[in-house]
Amino acid sequence: MHWNPDDLDVASRYKLLIGCIVPRPIALVSTVDREGRTNLAPFSFFNGVGSNPMTLLFCPANKPDGSEKDSLLNARPIEDGGVGEFVVNVSTEQIERQVAGAAEPLAHAESEFDLVGLTPAPSVAVAPPRVLESPVSFECRTAQVIRTNPGEPAAGNIVIGHVVHVHVTDELINERFHTDPEKLAAIGRMGGLMYCRTRDRFEMPMGRAALNSE
Ligand SMILES: Cc1cc2nc3c(=O)[nH]c(=O)nc-3n(C[C@H](O)[C@H](O)[C@H](O)COP(=O)(O)O)c2cc1C
């Protein structure tokens, strides 16, 4: 089957994206508003961008009424009304219930930290706290926000951040900066309400060498 997305409703396009682009890593994003009130939400439209400078992105879509989610309102640059900072905490098996719980749409003044029982720990270089229970946190300064269709329901927004400080739990990483995936136990998002673990892994070389490997 094949389609022109223009012939599909928005819900079907969304199902195609989340069901076929899998597995997706999950950023548990902490932000603060200009009054310093904390916010926490998971985003699986998330990835690294580059290492020079160290850059990543996450994508908070617009709400059904076309307005922007709190994470975007808080993380957008200062000149755009926000705080210009956010922290990406890696989602793991240990905190999987809290990660999903943090997607609860709370009133702006209420914090998902309190709802799910995760601990805000002070960051080193940015105002939003990191999540103490997450073994990896990337403190970020917002470099750019790209809005693909401002004001429209379900339209995507890309928040690009420069990483200004990194936290990794000691036992996860060696002196060569290799992380132990078993200990990290990251979880990913699939379609619908499905998630995956990262316990089934395999190795292979790149390029031509991959073709001749077992
Ligand atoms: C695992 C998971 C991944 C999610 N990924 C996204 C995403 O990539 N983009 C998005 O807009 N919403 C995503 N959501 C929904 C948001 O977390 C949810 O709308 C949340 O309430 C937004 O919070 P905020 O308004 O405080 O920013 C996801 C939810 C879950 C449970």
Side-chain angles (χ1 to χ4, degrees):
M1 288 192 270
H2 52 97
W3 305 270
N4 178 334
D6 293 345
D7 299 330
L8 299 175
D9 58 27
V10 170
S12 303
R13 296 178 207 156
Y14 175 70
K15 285 183 211 164
L16 285 172
L17 286 176
I18 68 161
C20 301
I21 304 176
V22 290
R24 296 186 304 286
I26 305 170
L28 184 56
V29 176
S30 35
T31 54
V32 289
D33 67 12
R34 287 195 160 188
E35 282 71 51
R37 291 174 293 205
T38 58
N39 190 85
L40 188 67
F43 293 93
S44 67
F45 284 30
F46 152 61
N47 229 310
V49 173
S51 316
N52 187 20
M54 194 175 185
T55 308
L56 52 74
L57 63 77
F58 74 98
C59 301
N62 287 345
K63 296 198 262 192
D65 66 358
S67 65
E68 297 182 346
K69 295 187 180 183
D70 284 342
S71 302
L72 172 55
L73 295 174
N74 293 345
R76 65 193 161 157
I78 291 170
E79 60 273 19
D80 190 12
V83 170
E85 296 175 340
F86 62 95
V87 180
V88 164
N89 306 276
V90 168
S91 299
T92 65
E93 288 183 36
Q94 267 209 321
I95 55 169
E96 62 191 22
R97 301 280 140 183
Q98 292 93 328
V99 169
E104 184 72 23
L106 295 181
H108 179 77
E110 291 176 54
S111 174
E112 292 82 5
F113 273 102
D114 297 332
L115 175 79
V116 304
L118 289 172
T119 315
S123 292
V124 172
V126 298
R130 66 190 172 96
V131 173
L132 186 66
E133 291 82 359
S134 174
V136 180
S137 301
F138 297 103
E139 298 182 17
C140 298
R141 210 155 276 145
T142 306
Q144 197 183 343
V145 172
I146 298 171
R147 294 174 169 87
T148 65
N149 199 2
E152 292 303 315
N157 306 290
I158 309 169
V159 180
I160 303 172
H162 290 156
V163 180
V164 292
H165 207 81
V166 185
H167 302 256
V168 182
T169 311
D170 290 355
E171 60 271 17
L172 261 190
I173 192 158
N174 68 18
E175 60 293 343
R176 297 175 61 214
F177 289 91
H178 293 156
T179 46
D180 182 335
E182 195 67 31
K183 288 185 183 151
L184 179 60
I187 56 166
R189 180 98 192 259
M190 308 289 288
L193 295 175
M194 217 182 300
Y195 292 79
C196 64
R197 303 193 168 90
T198 45
R199 295 182 192 178
D200 179 14
R201 303 180 295 272
F202 64 102
E203 244 181 57
M204 58 181 165
M206 281 191 257
R208 285 181 201 281
L211 305 174
N212 301 317
S213 65
E214 290 290 302

